[in-house]
């Protein structure tokens, strides 16, 4: 049977329960179903995601990903041949996607999380993965170099970029 619907089929109470799980103010055929609804024993989608994010499995899984992100590039450089680089880059891209998904889910489900200290720490952690992925850094590096000139040469290109960012703010 479909999740949220009893085996006997989706009747009006089951439809109301499924729509309530989608979030607040969901428009249904019979009207607007309020967030939380009548049945407080039934967890909403937001509460189910919060419970999943706070589970021990998720914490251990994210811990494993964090350890890989911290030491994976060193492992790649010291323990593997050059031919293994694309596999490591793919794993780093997967870790980037998982971190981004966690950031988005926490932002949507936890009201106090968005724009908090931990939100910004997760954003910094997300951005810090990018330098380990050569597939992403090579195009970025080529944007800031001109032929033989690099950022370490005179730094004028980087300084111009910083000025432009300040102007945009």
């Amino acid at each position: 049977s479909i999740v949220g619907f009893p085996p006997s089929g989706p009747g009006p109470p089951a439809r109301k329960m499924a729509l309530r799980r989608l979030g607040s103010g969901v428009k249904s055929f019979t009207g607007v179903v309020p967030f939380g609804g009548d049945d407080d024993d039934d967890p909403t989608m937001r509460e189910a995601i919060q419970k999943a994010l706070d589970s021990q499995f998720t914490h251990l899984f994210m811990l494993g990903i964090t350890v890989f992100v911290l030491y994976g590039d060193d492992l790649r450089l010291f323990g593997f041949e050059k031919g293994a680089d694309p596999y490591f880059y793919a794993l780093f891209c997967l870790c980037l996607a998982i971190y981004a998904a966690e950031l988005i889910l926490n932002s949507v489900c936890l009201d106090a999380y968005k724009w908090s200290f931990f939100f910004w720490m997760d954003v910094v952690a997300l951005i810090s993965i990018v330098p380990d992925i050569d597939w992403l850094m090579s195009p970025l590096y080529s944007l800031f170099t001109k032929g033989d000139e690099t950022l370490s040469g005179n730094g004028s290109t980087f300084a111009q970029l910083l000025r432009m960012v300040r102007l945009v703010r």
Side-chain angles (χ1 to χ4, degrees):
S1 74
I2 299 173
V3 175
F5 293 117
S8 62
R15 183 175 354 128
K16 186 174 182 180
M17 181 177 63
L19 288 173
R20 185 175 61 241
R21 288 183 181 183
L22 294 176
S24 74
V26 176
K27 188 76 172 169
S28 72
F29 299 109
T30 59
V32 176
V33 178
F35 184 70
D38 302 333
D39 186 13
D40 291 333
D41 295 335
D42 186 36
T44 63
M45 181 72 86
R46 177 182 275 194
E47 292 167 349
I49 292 172
Q50 285 177 351
K51 186 176 179 181
L53 288 173
D54 288 336
S55 72
Q56 186 176 6
F57 172 77
T58 304
H59 286 285
L60 290 174
F61 181 70
M62 293 307 291
L63 176 68
I65 288 177
T66 302
V67 169
F68 175 74
V69 166
L70 287 173
Y71 299 110
D73 200 45
D74 295 332
L75 182 68
R76 175 185 67 88
L77 291 172
F78 295 125
F80 291 89
E81 298 291 327
K82 185 82 170 151
D85 287 356
Y87 300 108
F88 274 91
Y89 297 151
L91 286 173
F92 283 128
C93 287
L94 180 65
C95 292
L96 186 73
I98 291 171
Y99 272 135
E102 184 193 28
L103 180 76
I104 291 168
L105 288 174
N106 277 326
S107 296
V108 170
C109 293
L110 300 173
D111 294 331
Y113 176 77
K114 198 183 308 179
W115 313 122
S116 70
F117 172 76
F118 294 107
F119 171 82
W120 291 111
M121 291 297 291
D122 286 346
V123 168
V124 169
L126 188 67
I127 293 170
S128 71
I129 298 173
V130 174
D132 290 338
I133 306 171
D134 193 44
W135 296 340
L136 300 176
M137 283 306 292
S138 292
L140 288 175
Y141 182 74
S142 65
L143 286 175
F144 299 110
T145 59
K146 299 176 190 170
D148 294 344
E149 179 186 330
T150 64
L151 289 177
S152 61
N154 62 10
S156 65
T157 308
F158 187 70
Q160 288 173 351
L161 176 70
L162 285 178
R163 285 188 213 111
M164 288 187 336
V165 168
R166 288 182 184 164
L167 286 176
V168 170
R169 278 200 250 168

